[in-house]
């Protein structure tokens, strides 16, 4: 009896230590601790943690009634992590040292898998309250936003994007628009980066406020923690001001509001619930259809080439001037960039003759030229090819499907559901529309150990955000529709017994 | 608690409102790069420099035999086609134009070019290109900020950057306080050419008397005291090619007198055009070096780089 108690105490202690390390890992990932080298180090830590957490994940999987079929369904997600790390592009990128390259690619893939496993297994840890997980994420982001936001204010002043909208400053004899940049903490150095890149943490932090919809301010003090995170995020966005980020955050709030309303409707009876679920299912398939259709149109138009392109003749995209030349609209310029990316991946041109590049089509470009569209998914096509892209799409839609089930079936508290799905949506939208993979303005001291960059390319696949995305994927994943009751509730029940 | 919070927030707020170090010197996006030659003139003088007391002056000639001499470009000034580079300075002082391995530093390429007005990391040209090896921003990174950072970034030639690459001066010149104080420097140099709005180009040779004044803080610790170095009859090409710039300057121990550059905190450049079409060309147009007076056409000094090679700064 005494022996069993000792074993149980030791297990509890181990769990607490692993849980604490997991929280540290998450907070440091969100803070972007130690820059690029720090992130590599954190990936290693993540992999070690995942090894410790594997038994918890296994228990949780069994507890949730997971079977072999569910594991098979996870294969595309696993392959997606693999394709994030390895591709022709990335192997060429590290071609100076194959050994280092393979290790780096392996670490990226393993880091993502570890973060995903971490997300799944934290649900099964008795000693780790789920609120702490999101507190760790929030604190990591808040500290980063506070430090870089304050430094930006000190260097540029308040509302600088508006006040200096058409102004430039000179650095090293070159002109830089003031309104298109902000300061970021890169390792232990401040650098100038594009607004789109620099303000991502603030947008994510501002979305923490959606958790307030699931909390009663009079009864629950956690309401104020979420509100504080949200306010800090919004303050940073407003004092800049970063219009695109504010709009995106408001969109996430609108989503949360709609989901809140739909839940209210669902509670009105089985019929209403059925209608809501059917509606959401239809919306999901319509979204899938739109994505598929959009892709088919873009790829076909690229295949046709510039002369036969039907998109370029559309008035939405290009307008014919009096000189018979087409000038692109804003949307047109975006589409032109995407088509350039697809073309550079799928085709090779030799002596003016364009030919289909089958290997490039499957596994991405071999050139290490940077295509920097504002859509992470299309940059991914160039860097990882259609195999990786197809896997990414499958993982994305599978993630949406699992997030939907998490929202409706999990027994997590409401505020957590809003935060998790809100942040997932914010991340998806942000990197689908505001992605910037060459954000550094005039980087100096690139060889500083903790702010080291091998190139100006800061790809999403190698970022801390990809790790956070993998964590969320793991968190919302459940092999069955109805998730198990939260462990802490069970613990309470056990105590009562 | 509230009082403490207010006390804490006040310095943060005041820092945010009044520091703004990166927006102290901003310009409209089209400043100095318009298609209008006259509008691109830069003639800003930092406070106190125009009022500075002159405490010394030196007159320098482009003559190797002279005790007070300056170097100018290739050293051959017969035609506008001959006027470029740094051969004269190099032949007089070859040790100043060698890299760390004893090889020759190159005049061109002078930058890693990423396209007009695009910033690129230049360290690949360190110990290869003269400009990138000797530039001010490499000696002291404080020179990297502000409009005049154009003059400290190692870009000696236009590289098709047009107005993005240079500071356009008329006879009123400019004066600036440096972000640091000079401690030691063997010589001063600048990369310059002539520039004009004469229609059809009219490539030609133009001669200028260029005054470079170095300022030190006066004994009252408030005002400045200037010493002027006049380089007489500096022959530069005008409107032949923007890439034809010349390295013009002087060694502090070849000025025909004693001058210790230690303590220099600022400098100014003014000039007067002594002769346009100085190469004896037949074409003549009435051009003026004063952009404020009415004239048919104007000729100015296009300043691309200012260097205190191998100097140390406090």
């Amino acid at each position: 009896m005494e022996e069993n108690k000792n074993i149980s105490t030791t297990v509890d202690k181990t769990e607490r230590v692993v849980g604490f390390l997991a929280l540290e890992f998450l907070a440091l990932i969100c803070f972007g601790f130690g820059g690029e080298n720090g992130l590599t180090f954190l990936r290693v830590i993540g992999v070690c943690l995942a090894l410790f957490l594997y038994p918890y994940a296994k228990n949780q999987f069994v507890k949730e009634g997971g079977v072999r079929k569910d594991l098979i369904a996870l294969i595309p997600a696993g392959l997606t992590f693999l394709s994030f790390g390895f591709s022709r592009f990335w192997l060429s990128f590290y071609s100076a040292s194959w050994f280092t390259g393979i290790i780096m690619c392996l670490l990226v893939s393993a880091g993502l898998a570890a973060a995903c496993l971490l997300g799944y297994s934290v649900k099964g840890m008795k000693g780790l309250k789920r609120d702490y997980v999101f507190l760790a994420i929030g604190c990591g982001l808040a500290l980063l936003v506070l430090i870089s936001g304050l430094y930006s204010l000190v260097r540029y002043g308040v509302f600088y994007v508006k006040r200096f909208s058409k102004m430039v400053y000179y650095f090293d004899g070159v002109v830089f628009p003031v309104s298109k940049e902000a300061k970021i903490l890169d390792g232990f150095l401040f650098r100038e980066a594009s607004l789109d890149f620099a303000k991502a943490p603030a947008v994510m932090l501002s979305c923490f406020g959606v958790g307030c919809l699931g909390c009663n301010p009079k009864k629950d003090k956690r309401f104020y923690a979420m509100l504080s995170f949200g306010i800090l995020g919004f303050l940073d966005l407003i004092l800049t001001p970063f219009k695109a980020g504010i709009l995106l955050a408001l969109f996430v709030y609108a989503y949360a509001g709609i989901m809140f309303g739909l839940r209210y409707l669902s509670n009105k009876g089985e019929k209403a619930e059925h209608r809501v679920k059917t509606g959401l299912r239809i919306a999901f398939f319509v979204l899938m259809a739109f994505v598929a259709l959009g892709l088919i149109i873009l790829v076909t138009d690229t295949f046709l080439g510039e002369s036969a392109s039907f998109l370029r003749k559309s008035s939405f995209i290009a307008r014919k001037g009096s000189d018979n030349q087409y000038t692109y609209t804003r949307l047109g310029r975006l589409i032109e960039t995407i088509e350039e990316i697809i073309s550079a991946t799928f085709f090779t041109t030799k002596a003016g003759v364009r030919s289909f590049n089958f290997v490039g089509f499957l596994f991405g470009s071999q050139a290490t030229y940077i295509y920097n569209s504002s859509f992470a998914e299309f940059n991914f096509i160039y860097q990882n090819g259609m195999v990786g892209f197809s896997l990414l799409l499958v993982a994305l839609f599978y993630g949406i499907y699992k997030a939907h089930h998490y929202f409706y079936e999990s027994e997590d508290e409401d505020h957590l559901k809003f935060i998790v799905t809100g942040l997932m949506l914010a991340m998806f939208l942000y990197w689908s529309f505001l992605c910037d993979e060459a954000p550094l303005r005039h980087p100096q001291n690139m060889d500083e150990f903790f702010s080291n960059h091998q190139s100006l390319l800061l790809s999403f696949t190698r970022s801390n955000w990809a790790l956070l995305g993998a964590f969320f994927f793991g968190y919302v994943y459940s092999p069955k529709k109805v998730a198990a009751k939260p462990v802490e509730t069970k613990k309470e029940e056990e105590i009562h017994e | 608690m509230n009082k403490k919070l207010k006390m804490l927030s006040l310095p943060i707020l005041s820092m945010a409102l009044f520091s703004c170090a990166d927006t102290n010197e901003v310009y409209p996006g089209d400043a100095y790069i318009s298609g209008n030659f006259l509008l691109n003139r830069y003639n800003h003088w930092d406070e106190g420099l125009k009022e500075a007391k002159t405490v010394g002056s030196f007159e320098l000639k482009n003559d190797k035999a002279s005790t007070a001499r300056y170097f100018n470009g290739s050293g051959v000034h017969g035609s506008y086609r001959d006027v470029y580079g740094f051969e004269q300075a190099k032949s007089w002082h070859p040790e100043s134009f060698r890299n760390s391995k004893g090889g020759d530093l190159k005049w061109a390429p002078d930058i890693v070019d990423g396209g007009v007005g695009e910033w690129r990391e230049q360290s690949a040209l360190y110990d290869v290109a003269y400009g990138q090896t000797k530039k001010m921003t490499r000696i002291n990174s404080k020179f990297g900020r502000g409009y005049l950072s154009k003059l400290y970034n190692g870009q000696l030639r236009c590289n098709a950057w047009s107005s993005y690459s240079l500071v356009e001066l008329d006879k009123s010149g400019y004066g600036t306080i440096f972000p640091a104080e000079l401690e030691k420097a063997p010589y001063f140099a600048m990369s310059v050419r002539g520039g004009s709005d004469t229609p059809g180009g009219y490539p030609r040779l133009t001669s200028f008397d260029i005054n470079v004044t170095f300022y030190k803080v006066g004994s009252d610790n408030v005002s400045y005291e200037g010493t002027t170095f006049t380089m007489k009859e500096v022959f530069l090409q005008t409107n032949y090619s923007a890439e034809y710039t010349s390295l013009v300057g002087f060694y502090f121990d070849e000025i025909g007198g004693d001058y210790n550059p230690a303590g220099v905190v600022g400098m100014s450049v003014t000039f007067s055009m002594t002769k346009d079409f100085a190469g004896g060309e037949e074409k003549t147009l009435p051009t003026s070096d004063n952009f404020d007076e009415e004239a048919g056409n104007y000729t100015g000094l296009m300043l691309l780089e200012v260097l205190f090679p191998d100097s140390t700064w406090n």
Side-chain angles (χ1 to χ4, degrees):
Chain A
M1 190 72 178
E2 187 67 27
E3 202 178 319
N4 279 349
K5 204 178 171 185
N6 281 343
I7 291 169
S8 166
T9 318
T10 314
V11 169
D12 276 355
K13 274 184 185 169
T14 313
E15 195 180 289
R16 268 183 206 155
V17 171
V18 176
F20 175 75
L21 287 175
L23 293 183
E24 286 281 308
F25 171 75
L26 275 175
L28 292 177
I29 287 283
C30 292
F31 182 68
F33 181 78
E36 206 156 290
N37 280 349
L39 202 58
T40 306
F41 177 69
L42 284 172
R43 281 192 190 105
V44 176
I45 299 280
V47 172
C48 297
L49 268 176
L51 294 176
F52 274 108
L53 289 169
Y54 177 71
Y56 294 98
K58 202 174 163 188
N59 280 346
Q60 179 75 0
F61 193 71
V62 173
K63 206 186 286 177
E64 290 186 338
V67 288
R68 185 179 288 265
K69 217 168 73 180
D70 297 308
L71 279 178
I72 293 169
L74 278 175
I75 289 174
L79 289 175
T80 309
F81 295 149
L82 198 67
S83 75
F84 263 61
F86 288 91
S87 73
R88 262 178 106 211
F89 177 88
W90 287 110
L91 289 174
S92 312
F93 185 84
Y94 294 113
S95 60
S97 165
W98 283 97
F99 180 72
T100 315
I102 288 170
I103 294 289
M104 291 304 281
C105 292
L106 195 66
L107 266 179
V108 170
S109 298
L112 289 168
C116 180
L117 193 76
L118 184 71
Y120 183 65
S121 43
V122 289
K123 292 189 290 185
M125 295 174 80
K126 288 178 196 170
L128 189 64
K129 235 179 159 187
R130 292 188 198 180
D131 273 318
Y132 292 159
V133 172
F134 294 94
L135 199 64
I137 295 175
C139 285
L141 286 175
L143 193 60
L144 180 64
V145 169
L146 194 70
I147 293 172
S148 39
L150 270 180
Y151 189 64
S152 280
L153 284 183
V154 168
R155 300 296 297 191
Y156 302 112
V158 286
F159 307 121
Y160 70 92
V161 168
K162 192 82 190 150
R163 283 165 55 213
F164 302 105
S165 65
K166 286 177 183 161
M167 307 299 271
V168 296
Y169 72 90
Y170 282 83
F171 179 85
D172 213 8
V174 173
V175 163
F176 292 91
V178 181
S179 61
K180 289 185 178 168
E181 70 173 41
K183 302 285 181 190
I184 57 160
L185 186 64
D186 180 26
F188 298 108
L189 278 182
F190 284 109
R191 288 193 198 281
E192 293 77 15
S194 71
L195 262 186
D196 289 353
F197 182 85
K199 292 300 166 190
V203 172
M204 297 306 134
L205 192 66
S206 65
C207 291
F208 260 82
V210 294
C212 294
L213 286 172
C215 247
N216 185 343
K218 284 177 187 165
K219 291 177 186 167
D220 201 336
K221 280 185 182 171
R222 289 173 298 185
F223 177 90
Y224 296 103
M226 290 176 287
L227 190 68
S228 310
F229 284 147
I231 287 174
L232 181 61
F234 268 116
L235 257 182
D236 188 48
L237 295 177
I238 290 165
L239 289 177
T240 303
F242 180 43
K243 222 163 44 180
I246 295 170
L247 285 176
L248 197 144
L250 289 179
F251 185 86
V252 173
Y253 277 81
Y255 147 82
I258 291 167
M259 293 309 275
F260 188 77
L262 288 178
R263 281 196 62 165
Y264 176 76
L265 278 179
S266 302
N267 291 339
K268 280 198 161 177
E270 254 181 51
K271 215 175 176 182
E273 190 185 350
H274 179 70
R275 270 188 199 160
V276 167
K277 283 186 175 171
T278 313
L280 286 173
R281 209 166 289 150
I282 291 170
F284 178 70
F285 285 112
V286 166
L287 179 70
M288 270 177 85
F290 264 117
V291 170
L293 190 69
L295 274 174
I296 290 167
I297 291 173
L298 278 170
V299 172
T300 314
D301 197 58
T302 311
F303 266 82
L304 288 173
E306 204 169 327
S307 52
S309 159
F310 53 88
L311 277 180
R312 285 167 205 240
K313 287 176 188 119
S314 148
S315 59
F316 286 113
I317 285 151
R319 295 201 177 107
K320 208 172 188 178
S322 53
D323 53 353
N324 264 358
Q325 294 292 313
Y326 286 100
T327 49
Y328 289 110
T329 59
R330 206 172 162 190
L331 177 68
R333 280 196 297 275
L334 279 178
I335 289 179
E336 193 198 16
T337 312
I338 293 168
E339 290 199 356
E340 262 180 39
I341 291 173
I342 296 174
S343 183
T345 318
F346 294 2
F347 298 101
T348 43
T349 309
K350 270 183 191 164
V353 180
R354 201 165 76 138
S355 57
F356 186 65
N357 178 355
F358 190 65
V359 184
F361 170 77
L362 289 181
F363 304 111
S365 173
Q366 200 172 9
T368 47
Y369 177 81
I370 302 173
Y371 274 104
N372 187 24
S373 84
S374 53
F375 306 94
E377 294 87 348
F378 289 106
N379 296 344
F380 193 80
I381 289 189
Y382 179 72
Q383 292 166 16
N384 299 66
M386 270 316 263
V387 171
F389 182 69
S390 311
L391 286 167
L392 176 71
L393 277 189
V394 171
L396 270 177
F397 281 107
Y398 192 61
I400 294 172
Y401 169 73
K402 284 294 171 191
H404 168 76
H405 279 298
Y406 163 77
F407 191 83
Y408 277 99
E409 312 294 349
S410 158
E411 289 190 14
D412 256 6
E413 288 176 88
D414 278 354
H415 67 279
L416 290 182
K417 289 182 179 177
F418 280 114
I419 290 176
V420 172
T421 54
L423 282 181
M424 284 180 84
L425 179 69
M427 283 182 72
F428 173 67
L429 290 177
Y430 204 93
W431 276 276
S432 292
F433 294 102
L434 298 173
C435 175
D436 188 353
E437 295 195 338
L440 300 178
R441 283 288 179 253
H442 36 79
Q444 307 283 296
N445 308 319
M446 293 274 278
D447 51 354
E448 290 278 321
F449 182 75
F450 279 111
S451 309
N452 185 288
H453 295 288
Q454 297 211 353
S455 86
L456 294 177
L457 173 67
L458 306 186
S459 171
F460 172 75
T461 57
R462 265 108 179 106
S463 69
N464 51 346
W465 299 108
L467 286 170
L468 195 62
F471 172 83
F472 282 132
F473 183 87
Y475 190 83
V476 297
Y477 175 77
S478 171
K480 60 175 185 174
K481 285 183 181 177
V482 183
K485 281 187 174 184
V487 183
E488 52 266 28
T489 323
K490 272 192 173 177
K491 202 179 173 186
E492 275 176 27
E493 281 166 8
E494 278 164 18
I495 291 163
H496 285 303
E497 276 169 21
Chain B
M1 181 65 189
N2 264 347
K3 208 174 173 184
K4 273 183 186 170
L5 207 67
K6 275 180 195 167
M7 294 288 280
L8 265 173
S9 61
L10 266 174
I12 293 171
L13 198 69
S14 57
M15 265 196 319
L17 288 173
F18 303 115
S19 172
C20 315
D22 284 8
T23 47
N24 279 344
E25 192 189 331
V26 290
Y27 299 87
D30 57 354
Y32 306 116
I33 53 160
S34 76
N36 186 326
F37 185 76
L38 294 186
L39 287 180
N40 294 342
R41 172 185 62 171
Y42 179 82
N43 64 348
H44 174 80
W45 285 72
D46 280 344
E47 210 180 313
L49 294 184
K50 274 192 171 170
E51 297 76 32
K53 197 167 92 183
T54 304
V55 292
S57 61
F58 296 88
E59 204 173 285
L60 313 175
K61 288 179 187 166
N62 186 234
D63 177 3
K64 195 180 179 185
S66 171
T67 52
R69 63 184 189 179
Y70 71 87
F71 52 80
N72 176 16
S74 58
V76 182
H77 309 126
S79 157
Y80 52 78
R81 291 188 184 87
D82 306 324
V83 184
Y84 64 92
F86 61 0
E87 276 311 309
Q88 191 168 54
K90 197 173 156 182
S91 64
W92 290 358
H93 293 277
E95 71 284 355
S96 300
F97 297 85
R98 288 196 187 117
N99 63 21
S100 61
K101 291 167 196 119
D104 283 344
L105 289 168
K106 290 177 181 166
W107 177 253
D110 53 333
I111 56 165
V112 176
D113 197 354
V116 176
E118 292 291 325
W119 186 86
R120 284 290 179 276
E121 172 62 45
Q122 301 288 335
S123 51
L125 287 179
Y126 175 69
D127 224 21
V128 176
Y130 174 76
Q132 293 305 326
T133 310
K134 306 289 184 183
K135 68 182 180 180
M136 297 300 293
T137 50
R138 182 164 287 281
I139 296 169
N140 190 321
S141 61
K142 286 180 190 162
F143 284 90
R145 289 237 167 226
Y147 179 71
L148 293 180
S149 64
K150 279 181 177 192
L151 301 179
Y152 311 131
N153 66 350
Q155 184 168 3
L156 304 171
R157 306 180 316 134
C158 180
N159 294 288
W161 282 38
S162 187
S163 304
Y164 282 103
S165 64
L166 53 87
V167 174
E168 184 183 313
L169 304 176
D170 79 336
K171 68 180 295 179
S172 58
Y174 84 102
T176 184
I177 298 291
F178 295 134
E181 184 186 308
L182 184 61
E183 192 181 54
K184 211 167 72 184
Y187 69 107
F188 162 78
M190 55 189 186
S191 175
V192 278
R193 65 174 174 85
S196 174
D197 63 349
T198 43
Y202 286 108
R204 58 191 184 264
L205 208 56
T206 310
S207 73
F208 302 92
D209 284 349
I210 301 175
N211 308 305
V212 177
T213 306
F214 296 125
Y215 299 92
K216 295 181 184 181
V217 178
S219 49
D220 58 359
N221 276 332
V222 179
S223 61
Y224 296 106
E225 291 175 348
T227 303
T228 301
F229 299 84
T230 304
M231 292 179 275
K232 300 291 280 184
E233 293 282 304
V234 180
F235 285 92
L236 299 170
Q237 68 82 14
T238 297
N239 286 15
Y240 172 54
S241 163
E243 306 308 329
Y244 274 48
T245 52
S246 299
L247 192 75
V248 176
F250 50 88
Y251 281 71
F252 288 110
D253 58 1
E254 293 177 352
I255 52 171
D258 282 337
Y259 179 75
N260 183 0
V264 165
V265 290
M267 72 172 274
S268 66
V269 176
T270 57
F271 70 92
S272 58
M273 184 174 66
T274 52
K275 197 175 178 192
D276 213 355
F277 301 96
E281 295 92 338
E282 285 178 10
K283 294 167 188 169
T284 52
L285 276 174
T287 65
S288 168
D289 56 7
N290 181 355
F291 292 8
D292 291 318
E293 75 175 11
E294 278 293 321
N297 291 102
Y298 301 90
T299 298
L301 200 62
M302 309 292 118
L303 192 55
L304 282 98
E305 193 73 9
V306 164
L307 302 134
F308 289 90
D310 310 317
S311 59
T312 51
W313 296 74
N314 286 322

